[in-house]
Amino acid sequence: MKTTKKYGKKQDLALSMWVKLARAYATFSKKSLENIRSFHLTEPQFSVLESLGHLGSMTIGTLCTKQLVSGGNMTLVVDNLEKEGLVQRIYNKVDRRTITIQLTPKGLSLFEDIFSQHAKHIEKLASVLSEKEQAELAKLLKKLGTGLSGTK
Amino acid sequence: MKTTKKYGKKQDLALSMWVKLARAYATFSKKSLENIRSFHLTEPQFSVLESLGHLGSMTIGTLCTKQLVSGGNMTLVVDNLEKEGLVQRIYNKVDRRTITIQLTPKGLSLFEDIFSQHAKHIEKLASVLSEKEQAELAKLLKKLGTGLSGTK
DNA sequence: CTTAAATAGTTGAAGGTTAAAATAATTAAA
DNA sequence: TTTAATTATTTTAACCTTCAACTATTTAAG
């Protein structure tokens, strides 16, 4: 294993947990990405389509909040989706600072085509764990994630 | 919640688990990164120093395996660490295709300065969960990670 | 030995990522 | 109202990331 026991019991436990979280995420993410690439999309592009498809049109800023990324980043991802003709920018009349992103017909059609396939793929990957284990893992991850969000 | 229940019970469970894994990782990673940035290092630079400090000098290829990244990537990260005078390339005589990366005195000194601080920081973040929960989470994450590694 | 295949690392192109600075528009304060 | 502060998005610079093509070296086959 990576972390040699050198920092005391509590710290070793925390470091070990963090290493395993990072590795599990990296491995799962890589497998998921293989599937996404087969649709000729990048991971962040896919996530944006997913948000728009499931929740409807929203502003750049809202997309940033959902995906936990910076504004500069989202500008580029939306640019690239727009080049592909999958989304379009709608300039709002009410508040002219905001821009709403919506799926084009092509984008909506793609969304509908690929998401059930993708869900099947995720299910298959997760089946490394039993349903009970998945539920327990989800519970702990949620506690960790939400607990951290409030941290300084 | 993000995933609206539309894909059947098993798929919803898997999707929900995957969303929580991604969020917990993103949040923990962001908090950890704040600490790393205070040492004027990027995350991959920090990881390379960690490997070299804990495990000793190794080739570019071995670093790639440890960090699960591509060769082209590691070339750049090592370039940037070399510019900072933290590591150096050692051209091997035995097999002239390989290059060993080792810490400079400056790099070793930095490693020794920052790792106990970083371990404390990770411990603090992880303390959102009890020790028992951390152990349980680590166990499930390990099973997921190693189980996936063998998947097609 | 000579050629072919495999291995280690670098390079270049295309995207993603952040932080900081710059624009533009809205809201609040004096 | 005029000015100041805030909000939404874009731009830029620096770094990370992968994949595919390329160089150099080593190993294996004939």
Side-chain angles (χ1 to χ4, degrees):
Chain A
M1 243 279 296
K2 195 177 184 180
T3 42
T4 48
K5 307 295 176 231
K6 279 187 179 170
Y7 301 101
K9 185 167 169 299
K10 279 191 185 181
Q11 290 184 20
D12 286 340
L13 180 61
L15 284 169
S16 166
M17 189 268 281
W18 169 225
V19 168
K20 289 180 178 65
L21 174 57
R23 293 207 172 249
Y25 171 77
T27 308
F28 203 112
S29 177
K30 202 156 276 188
K31 299 279 178 183
S32 167
L33 184 58
E34 286 170 17
N35 189 240
I36 289 171
R37 297 306 287 272
S38 73
F39 309 129
H40 303 291
L41 293 170
T42 67
E43 193 282 330
Q45 288 170 359
F46 182 87
S47 291
V48 168
L49 291 188
E50 180 178 30
S51 287
L52 296 176
H54 280 131
L55 304 175
S57 302
M58 63 188 82
T59 65
I60 301 263
T62 305
L63 279 170
C64 289
T65 305
K66 299 272 175 214
Q67 321 276 327
L68 304 177
V69 300
S70 67
N73 189 350
M74 193 51 70
T75 292
L76 180 66
V77 174
V78 168
D79 282 350
N80 288 329
L81 283 169
E82 206 168 27
K83 278 179 202 159
E84 295 296 323
L86 297 171
V87 306
Q88 57 190 330
R89 281 174 164 85
I90 307 292
Y91 297 86
N92 297 312
K93 299 287 155 68
V94 189
D95 182 343
R96 282 185 302 173
R97 293 170 305 179
T98 68
I99 296 176
T100 296
I101 309 302
Q102 77 174 199
L103 291 174
T104 60
K106 182 180 173 188
L108 179 60
S109 165
L110 181 62
F111 169 77
E112 288 168 345
D113 281 352
I114 67 186
F115 274 91
S116 67
Q117 287 177 243
H118 187 64
K120 282 197 196 83
H121 190 246
I122 297 297
E123 183 195 356
K124 193 178 165 192
L125 292 177
S127 70
V128 163
L129 300 180
S130 72
E131 291 186 43
K132 193 175 174 183
E133 287 170 326
Q134 288 178 43
E136 175 69 10
L137 179 55
K139 198 188 85 182
L140 290 167
L141 287 168
K142 182 176 183 179
K143 182 168 183 186
L144 178 62
T146 58
L148 283 169
S149 300
T151 307
K152 82 113 200 27
Chain B
M1 239 283 295
K2 193 179 187 180
T3 42
T4 49
K5 307 292 177 238
K6 279 186 180 169
Y7 301 103
K9 186 167 170 295
K10 280 191 184 182
Q11 290 183 20
D12 287 340
L13 180 61
L15 285 168
S16 166
M17 189 268 281
W18 168 224
V19 168
K20 291 180 177 67
L21 174 57
R23 297 215 167 241
Y25 171 77
T27 309
F28 203 112
S29 177
K30 204 156 271 186
K31 299 281 179 183
S32 167
L33 185 58
E34 286 170 16
N35 189 239
I36 289 171
R37 299 305 287 271
S38 73
F39 308 129
H40 305 291
L41 292 171
T42 66
E43 194 282 327
Q45 288 169 0
F46 182 87
S47 291
V48 167
L49 291 188
E50 181 178 32
S51 286
L52 296 176
H54 279 131
L55 304 175
S57 303
M58 61 187 82
T59 64
I60 301 259
T62 305
L63 279 170
C64 290
T65 305
K66 299 271 176 214
Q67 321 276 327
L68 305 178
V69 300
S70 67
N73 189 350
M74 193 50 70
T75 292
L76 180 66
V77 174
V78 168
D79 281 351
N80 288 329
L81 283 170
E82 204 167 29
K83 278 178 201 158
E84 295 295 323
L86 297 171
V87 305
Q88 57 190 327
R89 282 176 164 86
I90 308 291
Y91 297 85
N92 297 313
K93 300 288 157 67
V94 189
D95 182 342
R96 285 184 301 175
R97 291 170 306 180
T98 69
I99 296 177
T100 296
I101 309 302
Q102 77 174 198
L103 292 174
T104 60
K106 182 180 173 189
L108 180 60
S109 167
L110 180 62
F111 168 78
E112 287 168 346
D113 281 352
I114 66 186
F115 273 92
S116 66
Q117 289 177 241
H118 186 65
K120 282 197 195 81
H121 189 248
I122 296 298
E123 182 195 355
K124 193 178 167 194
L125 293 177
S127 70
V128 163
L129 300 180
S130 72
E131 291 186 44
K132 193 175 173 183
E133 287 171 326
Q134 288 178 44
E136 175 68 11
L137 178 54
K139 198 187 87 183
L140 289 167
L141 287 168
K142 182 176 181 179
K143 182 169 181 183
L144 179 61
T146 58
L148 283 169
S149 301
T151 307
K152 82 108 199 33

